[in-house]
Amino acid sequence: MTNLSRRYFGKQISIGAVTALASATDSALSTEQTAAVKAQAPKRMTTVLRELISGPGIVAAPGVYDPITARIAEQLGFKALDLPGSALGYATCKIEPNLCLENMVEATLNITRAVAIPLVVDVGAGFGEPAHVVHTVQSLEHAGAAGLHLEDQLYPKRFHYHTGTEHTISAELMVQKIKFAVEARRDPNFIIVARTDAIRTVGFEEGVRRANLYLQTGADMIMFSHVSSAEQIRQLPKEVHGPLNWTQSSGRPGQPPIFSLQELESLGGYKLINYAGGAILVAYKAIREMFAHLKETGLSGMDPAVYLPVEKQIQEACGLGEYIRIENETTEKA
């Protein structure tokens, strides 16, 4: 007979005891009670996002890069969020191609702890080959993301991406990445968005071909980058056989005109709309202007009548009131 260690013996006894207790509990609960318990359990964010995408209407997902921007979006009534690599790259002064998986996981954890709405995370090219994509998917899923978008760009990503020069991998390699990304997820409701940049690097027809190929492989949605005209925006829902995750442009020269949510919804096909650069650009502009005024005048220029209410709003967004309530009942109790 094989000698068993004390640790192994204790572990087996514990497992047996827990299993027996679980079985006894299950048998003690009626079908109605079990259903009631399940009904009271909060929905997973993956389920919430899947229902939003499957349901009617179009969903706006602002691009956030930290917990406070996420909280603001949630308090204003947005139903989903996007974590763009570009925004996080700017916020950390690393620039997106320098971001690693750990950076995205840490940012995801910080945001998902702060809000109760689904977050979709930009993982760029998946931080490697298909085997690395498996680790990427499972890491982001464990961090609380409801989905991710994976692009058919070269890895490591080139900094020239920010100047409009892109490098796409073969469709065959991207298919392998999508295949293993789909297999890697533990929750089938975790959304896999496949992004293609082939419209810019090859042409419109190749972008559409890849999109439908990626959907056939198991991607849940398709994201296009650098569509060049309003006509292409109108044409995509007609030629792509699945829902579209659209990144709203900033309206810079060479890009198509900005379509409103209502206009995109009227075209059909568009379901999840990202605003990647909005929050970080607005924040940078406001902070720079205040600091410049302070440097030039020695004064911040912040009117107390305007900013004291803002401070109250920040405190409310961060949950200060709840901590005050707890202290009033405990350590600060009269």
Short mmCIF file of all heavy atoms in Angstrom, two decimals, residues 68 71 75 308-324:
data_model
loop_
_atom_site.label_atom_id
_atom_site.label_comp_id
_atom_site.label_asym_id
_atom_site.label_seq_id
_atom_site.Cartn_x
_atom_site.Cartn_y
_atom_site.Cartn_z
N ILE A 68 -11.77 56.56 -12.11
CA ILE A 68 -12.64 57.73 -12.01
C ILE A 68 -13.34 58.02 -13.33
O ILE A 68 -14.51 58.38 -13.35
CB ILE A 68 -11.87 58.96 -11.49
CG1 ILE A 68 -12.84 60.10 -11.14
CG2 ILE A 68 -10.82 59.43 -12.48
CD1 ILE A 68 -13.79 59.78 -10.02
N ARG A 71 -16.11 55.50 -13.46
CA ARG A 71 -17.21 55.84 -12.55
C ARG A 71 -18.09 56.96 -13.14
O ARG A 71 -19.31 56.93 -13.02
CB ARG A 71 -16.65 56.31 -11.21
CG ARG A 71 -16.30 55.19 -10.24
CD ARG A 71 -17.53 54.74 -9.44
NE ARG A 71 -17.20 53.62 -8.57
CZ ARG A 71 -16.77 53.75 -7.32
NH1 ARG A 71 -16.59 54.97 -6.80
NH2 ARG A 71 -16.50 52.69 -6.59
N GLN A 75 -22.03 56.60 -13.79
CA GLN A 75 -23.01 57.45 -13.12
C GLN A 75 -23.87 58.22 -14.11
O GLN A 75 -25.02 58.57 -13.79
CB GLN A 75 -22.29 58.42 -12.18
CG GLN A 75 -21.70 57.73 -10.95
CD GLN A 75 -21.13 58.70 -9.95
OE1 GLN A 75 -20.74 59.82 -10.30
NE2 GLN A 75 -21.06 58.30 -8.69
N LEU A 308 -15.85 73.94 -6.23
CA LEU A 308 -16.25 73.30 -4.97
C LEU A 308 -17.34 72.26 -5.22
O LEU A 308 -17.28 71.15 -4.69
CB LEU A 308 -16.69 74.33 -3.95
CG LEU A 308 -15.55 75.12 -3.28
CD1 LEU A 308 -16.12 76.15 -2.30
CD2 LEU A 308 -14.58 74.19 -2.56
N PRO A 309 -18.35 72.55 -6.05
CA PRO A 309 -19.32 71.50 -6.39
C PRO A 309 -18.68 70.32 -7.13
O PRO A 309 -19.09 69.17 -6.95
CB PRO A 309 -20.32 72.23 -7.30
CG PRO A 309 -20.24 73.66 -6.89
CD PRO A 309 -18.79 73.87 -6.56
N VAL A 310 -17.64 70.60 -7.94
CA VAL A 310 -16.96 69.52 -8.64
C VAL A 310 -16.26 68.60 -7.64
O VAL A 310 -16.29 67.37 -7.78
CB VAL A 310 -15.93 70.08 -9.65
CG1 VAL A 310 -15.07 68.96 -10.22
CG2 VAL A 310 -16.64 70.81 -10.78
N GLU A 311 -15.65 69.19 -6.62
CA GLU A 311 -15.01 68.37 -5.59
C GLU A 311 -16.03 67.47 -4.91
O GLU A 311 -15.75 66.29 -4.62
CB GLU A 311 -14.31 69.24 -4.56
CG GLU A 311 -13.55 68.43 -3.51
CD GLU A 311 -12.80 69.30 -2.51
OE1 GLU A 311 -13.14 70.49 -2.38
OE2 GLU A 311 -11.88 68.78 -1.86
N LYS A 312 -17.21 68.00 -4.66
CA LYS A 312 -18.28 67.19 -4.05
C LYS A 312 -18.67 66.04 -4.98
O LYS A 312 -18.92 64.92 -4.53
CB LYS A 312 -19.50 68.06 -3.74
CG LYS A 312 -19.27 69.09 -2.65
CD LYS A 312 -19.07 68.44 -1.30
CE LYS A 312 -18.97 69.48 -0.20
NZ LYS A 312 -18.70 68.85 1.14
N GLN A 313 -18.72 66.33 -6.27
CA GLN A 313 -19.08 65.29 -7.24
C GLN A 313 -18.02 64.19 -7.27
O GLN A 313 -18.36 63.00 -7.34
CB GLN A 313 -19.22 65.91 -8.63
CG GLN A 313 -20.43 66.83 -8.78
CD GLN A 313 -20.44 67.53 -10.13
OE1 GLN A 313 -19.53 67.36 -10.95
NE2 GLN A 313 -21.45 68.35 -10.35
N ILE A 314 -16.73 64.57 -7.21
CA ILE A 314 -15.67 63.58 -7.19
C ILE A 314 -15.76 62.71 -5.94
O ILE A 314 -15.61 61.48 -5.99
CB ILE A 314 -14.28 64.26 -7.27
CG1 ILE A 314 -14.09 64.90 -8.64
CG2 ILE A 314 -13.17 63.24 -7.00
CD1 ILE A 314 -12.80 65.68 -8.76
N GLN A 315 -16.00 63.34 -4.81
CA GLN A 315 -16.12 62.59 -3.56
C GLN A 315 -17.29 61.60 -3.63
O GLN A 315 -17.17 60.45 -3.18
CB GLN A 315 -16.31 63.56 -2.39
CG GLN A 315 -15.08 64.38 -2.08
CD GLN A 315 -15.34 65.44 -1.02
OE1 GLN A 315 -16.48 65.73 -0.67
NE2 GLN A 315 -14.26 66.01 -0.48
N GLU A 316 -18.38 62.04 -4.22
CA GLU A 316 -19.54 61.16 -4.37
C GLU A 316 -19.21 60.01 -5.32
O GLU A 316 -19.54 58.85 -5.04
CB GLU A 316 -20.73 61.95 -4.91
CG GLU A 316 -21.98 61.11 -5.11
CD GLU A 316 -23.13 61.89 -5.72
OE1 GLU A 316 -23.01 63.11 -5.88
OE2 GLU A 316 -24.15 61.26 -6.06
N ALA A 317 -18.52 60.32 -6.43
CA ALA A 317 -18.18 59.28 -7.39
C ALA A 317 -17.25 58.24 -6.79
O ALA A 317 -17.33 57.06 -7.12
CB ALA A 317 -17.53 59.91 -8.62
N CYS A 318 -16.38 58.67 -5.88
CA CYS A 318 -15.42 57.76 -5.26
C CYS A 318 -15.99 57.02 -4.05
O CYS A 318 -15.30 56.17 -3.47
CB CYS A 318 -14.16 58.52 -4.84
SG CYS A 318 -13.22 59.18 -6.23
N GLY A 319 -17.22 57.34 -3.65
CA GLY A 319 -17.85 56.61 -2.56
C GLY A 319 -17.51 57.11 -1.18
O GLY A 319 -17.65 56.36 -0.19
N LEU A 320 -17.08 58.36 -1.04
CA LEU A 320 -16.71 58.89 0.27
C LEU A 320 -17.88 58.83 1.25
O LEU A 320 -17.69 58.51 2.44
CB LEU A 320 -16.20 60.33 0.14
CG LEU A 320 -15.86 61.04 1.46
CD1 LEU A 320 -14.73 60.32 2.18
CD2 LEU A 320 -15.51 62.50 1.20
N GLY A 321 -19.08 59.10 0.77
CA GLY A 321 -20.25 59.12 1.65
C GLY A 321 -20.47 57.81 2.38
O GLY A 321 -20.83 57.80 3.57
N GLU A 322 -20.21 56.69 1.70
CA GLU A 322 -20.40 55.39 2.33
C GLU A 322 -19.37 55.15 3.43
O GLU A 322 -19.69 54.61 4.49
CB GLU A 322 -20.31 54.28 1.27
CG GLU A 322 -20.43 52.87 1.80
CD GLU A 322 -21.78 52.55 2.43
OE1 GLU A 322 -22.71 53.37 2.31
OE2 GLU A 322 -21.88 51.47 3.05
N TYR A 323 -18.12 55.59 3.19
CA TYR A 323 -17.09 55.45 4.23
C TYR A 323 -17.41 56.32 5.44
O TYR A 323 -17.19 55.92 6.59
CB TYR A 323 -15.72 55.81 3.66
CG TYR A 323 -15.22 54.82 2.63
CD1 TYR A 323 -14.99 55.22 1.30
CD2 TYR A 323 -14.97 53.50 2.97
CE1 TYR A 323 -14.55 54.31 0.36
CE2 TYR A 323 -14.51 52.59 2.03
CZ TYR A 323 -14.30 53.00 0.72
OH TYR A 323 -13.86 52.09 -0.21
N ILE A 324 -17.94 57.52 5.20
CA ILE A 324 -18.35 58.39 6.30
C ILE A 324 -19.46 57.74 7.11
O ILE A 324 -19.46 57.77 8.35
CB ILE A 324 -18.80 59.77 5.77
CG1 ILE A 324 -17.63 60.50 5.10
CG2 ILE A 324 -19.41 60.62 6.88
CD1 ILE A 324 -16.50 60.85 6.01
#
